Amino acid sequence: KEWLSKGHGEYREIPSERDFFQEVKESKNVVCHFYRDTTFRCQIMDKHLTVLAKKHVETKFLKLNAEKSPFLCERLRIKVIPTLALVKDGKTKDYVVGFTDLGNTDDFTTETLEWRLGCADVINYR
């Protein structure tokens, strides 16, 4: 219940960089997708993250428009879209950059992404 009250269990967009800091402060595990509207692969990522957000309520799943977040993209050194920032205890611990870790293909499975997030220990993966 506490997780759900903090926005876990759903994949949602946050409006600004400022919201990012607030969101990661209040949750132990956060996956944040830095995306661009014009990037097709971001839509593929969205599809998988929507499924995983419902399945892994222990983690908060967010998306943030990279074009509206220049400070954060610079600070986190995000150069490739899509990039997932994997945040644990308020610190960015790992990144999934593009689809390289996911088999370098557009038709990777949700399970592949789930496994990769499990490797970073931001979801409970068995």
Side-chain angles (χ1 to χ4, degrees):
K1 271 198 164 123
E2 185 191 337
W3 281 336
L4 295 175
S5 75
K6 289 181 179 173
H8 291 236
E10 59 178 335
Y11 174 53
R12 61 192 167 83
E13 181 159 5
I14 50 175
S16 73
E17 295 178 307
R18 202 170 332 153
D19 298 292
F20 174 84
F21 295 104
Q22 189 53 48
E23 295 280 358
V24 300
K25 251 197 307 226
E26 65 186 33
S27 295
K28 185 174 166 54
N29 297 313
V30 179
V31 172
C32 187
H33 174 202
F34 287 84
Y35 80 97
R36 252 188 20 227
D37 285 327
T38 53
T39 305
F40 172 68
R41 286 185 151 178
C42 292
Q43 295 162 12
I44 297 171
M45 192 61 88
D46 283 343
K47 184 184 73 176
H48 295 294
L49 292 172
T50 301
V51 173
L52 292 175
K54 289 181 182 82
K55 187 174 175 184
H56 291 281
V57 187
E58 73 279 3
T59 301
K60 185 185 284 185
F61 287 83
L62 304 170
K63 67 189 278 188
L64 184 58
N65 188 324
E67 292 175 313
K68 293 180 183 165
S69 329
F71 169 76
L72 212 46
C73 287
E74 169 104 0
R75 188 163 157 197
L76 298 176
R77 295 191 282 291
I78 292 171
K79 296 190 176 18
V80 174
I81 299 296
T83 289
L84 301 182
L86 311 180
V87 184
K88 200 156 178 66
D89 299 316
K91 292 189 176 53
T92 307
K93 195 179 154 219
D94 198 358
Y95 297 93
V96 178
V97 179
F99 289 179
T100 310
D101 295 356
L102 307 169
N104 244 346
T105 173
D106 286 357
D107 54 7
F108 65 89
T109 63
T110 302
E111 288 72 31
T112 302
L113 179 57
E114 184 177 26
W115 166 82
R116 178 60 184 84
L117 297 177
C119 290
D121 202 31
V122 290
I123 61 170
N124 298 336
Y125 179 76
R126 276 173 230 81

